[in-house]
């Protein structure tokens, strides 16, 4: 089921009484979520991710704009008539019910000609439990299970009615690192198996990158960029997107374009054919640095951290924005650290240049 958002906007009155303006939690969302794909909705805390999800499922009414599931306008439909499955951050299982009863719960509310027999319900519960591989746990209570198992029960409960759309709001945030990794792979498998259009909210860029077919990056209610994870990583359209995706973070320097060259301080690091002189930000992915005695960018060497496969070079430069440069260098690279200086050459395809005022990408 494809989801179409048409100029979708949600305003809230500002809770801070001194500020008159509304909070625009979702600002003019106008795009399509393709059928059968897993979409990662990504952005920092407070940017409007949950609001966007709540609009899609019908828990919130938009201030303006419309939502379509396929060709059907669902904007005025209540959540239970939209055919969505929801999983929240705190999985909100009923503690006094067993796993079986928790998963069955949405089915028991069906009325009229949708009412199901006990046998059919049992069948559907079993099917959903198998999908998330908890069929052995059906008689347990939530407090007799690990966080990851509880999360699976919540997913099974969201899937039991076979929704057209599955919406997940930070579903992994209560899990420890290893379980997160495992559960996100599970989610991807379940999504592939069922083919249900899924929107997955997270503020964790790595999580979004690793399982999404498409990522939507937002900030302050405004869509910044959408596309395939790798494309967004490689071709960010503004400095915010460049900085939000990737660990370690992209390294940002203040610089300038002058005489068709990109400068960081006095060092010319790249060509900028046909671009007028201006102040810019030069952003370099950690893997974009090459140690080279003839490299133009001289930095103060601080430390080298061994990480096994590669090493992390920590350095500083007067034009660097933020704390320290972090460069990822293959571990076989020799470096003596003489004079506490290190010279780098930059890989052009790992360097992105942004306008110093608008922060928009300048394509070189
Ligand atoms: N019911 C409400 N009334 C007033 N303001 C609200 C309401 N719900 C959300 N907001 C505001 O709208 C903005 C977006 O909130 P939202 O919960 O969608 O962000 P989020 O991206 O999900 O954040 P987080 O990652 O912290 O969950 C915030 O500024 C928030 O304070
Ligand atoms: Mg939220």
């Amino acid at each position: 089921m494809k989801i179409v958002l048409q100029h979708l906007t949600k305003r809230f009155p500002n809770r801070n009484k001194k500020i008159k303006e509304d909070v625009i939690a979702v600002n003019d969302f106008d795009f399509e979520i393709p059928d059968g794909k897993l979409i990662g909705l990504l952005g920092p805390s407070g940017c409007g991710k949950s609001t966007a999800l709540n609009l899609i499922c019908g828990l919130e009414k938009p201030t303006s704009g419309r939502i379509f599931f396929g060709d059907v306008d669902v904007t005025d439909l209540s959540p239970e008539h939209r055919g969505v499955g929801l999983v929240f951050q705190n999985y909100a299982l009923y503690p006094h019910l067993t796993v079986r009863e928790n998963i069955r719960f949405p089915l028991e509310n069906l009325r009229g000609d949708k009412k199901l027999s006990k046998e059919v319900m049992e069948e559907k519960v079993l099917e959903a439990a198998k999908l998330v591989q908890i069929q052995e746990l059906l008689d347990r209570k939530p407090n007799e299970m690990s966080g990851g198992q509880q999360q699976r029960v919540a997913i099974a409960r969201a899937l039991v009615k076979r929704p057209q759309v599955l919406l997940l709001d930070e579903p992994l945030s209560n899990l420890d690192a290893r379980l997160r990794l495992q559960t996100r792979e599970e989610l991807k498998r379940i999504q592939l198996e069922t083919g249900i259009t899924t929107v997955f909210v997270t503020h964790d860029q790595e999580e979004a990158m690793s399982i999404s077919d498409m990522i939507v990056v937002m900030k302050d209610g405004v869509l910044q960029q959408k596309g395939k994870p790798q494309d967004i990583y490689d071709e960010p359209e503004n400095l915010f997107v460049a900085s939000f995706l990737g660990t370690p973070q992209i390294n940002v320097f203040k610089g300038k374009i002058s005489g068709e060259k990109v400068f960081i301080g006095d060092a010319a690091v790249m060509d900028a054919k046909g671009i007028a002189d201006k102040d810019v930000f030069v952003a370099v992915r950690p893997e974009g640095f090459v140690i080279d005695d003839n490299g133009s960018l001289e930095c103060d060497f601080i430390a080298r951290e061994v990480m096994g496969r590669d090493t992390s070079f920590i350095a500083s430069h007067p034009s660097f924005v933020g704390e320290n440069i972090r460069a990822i260098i293959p571990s076989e690279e020799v470096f003596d650290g003489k004079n506490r200086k290190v010279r780098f050459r930059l890989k052009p395809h790992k360097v992105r240049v942004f306008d110093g005022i608008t922060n928009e990408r300048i394509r070189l």
Side-chain angles (χ1 to χ4, degrees):
M1 180 66 63
K2 90 176 166 190
I3 305 171
V4 182
L5 310 180
Q6 277 183 0
H7 298 292
L8 197 65
T9 297
K10 179 67 182 181
R11 292 168 171 269
F12 291 113
N14 208 309
R15 287 208 188 100
N16 182 344
K17 293 276 181 329
K18 290 193 191 118
I19 304 173
K20 286 249 161 53
E21 288 112 68
D22 293 346
V23 176
I24 309 180
V26 171
N27 195 343
D28 199 24
F29 268 28
D30 196 56
F31 59 89
E32 213 175 285
I33 293 171
D35 179 32
K37 299 285 190 220
L38 197 160
I39 299 332
L41 190 54
L42 178 66
S45 182
C47 74
K49 303 179 298 292
S50 296
T51 306
L53 213 65
N54 291 343
L55 288 170
I56 295 174
C57 77
L59 287 175
E60 295 275 8
K61 284 255 165 283
T63 310
S64 57
R66 310 225 53 95
I67 303 165
F68 294 82
F69 285 2
D71 297 325
V72 180
D73 186 338
V74 298
T75 319
D76 299 318
L77 286 185
S78 61
E80 52 287 9
H81 293 110
R82 291 193 188 189
V84 291
L86 258 177
V87 178
F88 293 106
Q89 179 171 346
N90 48 353
Y91 2 95
L93 299 178
Y94 302 109
H96 57 288
L97 300 183
T98 63
V99 169
R100 174 181 277 106
E101 290 160 344
N102 262 288
I103 300 175
R104 194 169 62 205
F105 195 81
L107 301 177
E108 285 171 350
N109 289 329
L110 297 173
R111 296 281 172 264
D113 55 355
K114 292 218 176 103
K115 200 169 161 52
L116 301 175
S117 69
K118 278 229 150 49
E119 293 72 35
V120 175
M121 277 198 255
E122 181 61 22
E123 230 170 77
K124 285 185 181 280
V125 167
L126 211 71
E127 196 187 343
K130 273 193 189 141
L131 203 55
V132 299
Q133 298 174 347
I134 47 159
Q135 61 272 34
E136 271 84 51
L137 306 175
L138 284 170
D139 296 313
R140 294 214 198 160
K141 295 262 176 73
N143 67 2
E144 297 163 345
M145 291 184 301
S146 74
Q149 290 167 334
Q150 291 183 43
Q151 190 56 288
R152 289 175 197 216
V153 177
I155 295 167
R157 189 175 60 180
L159 288 172
V160 73
K161 280 210 273 184
R162 281 288 161 153
Q164 318 184 56
V165 170
L166 181 63
L167 303 172
L168 306 155
D169 195 349
E170 309 240 8
L172 311 181
S173 51
N174 285 339
L175 308 180
D176 69 34
R178 243 184 78 197
L179 254 173
R180 272 181 94 114
L181 212 70
Q182 210 180 354
T183 315
R184 85 181 186 206
E185 284 161 14
E186 284 281 284
L187 261 178
K188 182 74 196 173
R189 175 187 63 77
I190 293 163
Q191 197 274 327
L192 281 172
E193 260 180 60
T194 57
I196 297 175
T197 309
T198 301
V199 184
F200 176 90
V201 163
T202 177
H203 60 265
D204 181 334
Q205 55 88 27
E206 194 195 316
E207 204 164 275
M209 298 255 286
S210 60
I211 61 168
S212 306
D213 297 306
M214 177 175 122
I215 288 184
V216 174
V217 186
M218 60 185 295
K219 178 194 169 208
D220 298 337
V222 179
L223 178 125
Q224 303 291 307
Q225 192 169 350
K226 64 177 171 47
K228 293 201 179 110
Q230 190 71 49
D231 292 348
I232 297 190
Y233 181 84
D234 290 338
E235 308 292 347
E237 278 166 17
N238 62 42
L239 188 58
F240 171 80
V241 174
S243 305
F244 201 71
L245 266 68
T247 39
Q249 259 195 355
I250 202 162
N251 295 280
V252 182
F253 299 84
K254 274 197 168 133
K256 61 177 188 290
I257 292 180
S258 176
E260 301 197 326
K261 289 210 176 300
V262 179
F263 284 88
I264 297 174
D266 299 332
V269 291
M270 266 171 75
D271 288 339
K273 285 260 166 341
I275 313 274
D277 293 0
K278 66 176 90 183
D279 288 336
V280 295
F281 288 108
V282 184
V284 187
R285 290 282 175 208
E287 65 275 23
F289 294 87
V290 182
I291 295 181
D292 181 345
D293 287 340
N294 300 315
S296 60
L297 188 66
E298 187 184 71
C299 300
D300 290 311
F301 173 72
I302 296 176
R304 178 180 190 167
E305 290 174 356
V306 177
M307 299 187 298
R309 189 188 47 194
D310 33 41
T311 49
S312 175
F313 268 67
I314 302 168
S316 68
H317 187 281
S319 300
F320 191 69
V321 181
E323 220 158 294
N324 289 319
I325 302 164
R326 275 188 173 266
I328 305 289
I329 307 285
S331 28
E332 57 274 15
E333 195 76 43
V334 278
F335 176 72
D336 56 13
K338 251 193 333 227
N339 319 322
R340 308 304 291 170
K341 295 281 184 195
V342 55
R343 295 191 84 88
F344 292 115
R345 162 167 62 83
L346 304 181
K347 297 180 191 166
H349 67 286
K350 292 290 179 185
V351 181
R352 296 293 174 249
V353 178
F354 301 92
D355 187 288
I357 296 163
T358 65
N359 291 355
E360 294 296 316
R361 169 93 179 267
I362 300 171
R363 289 189 181 260
L364 302 179

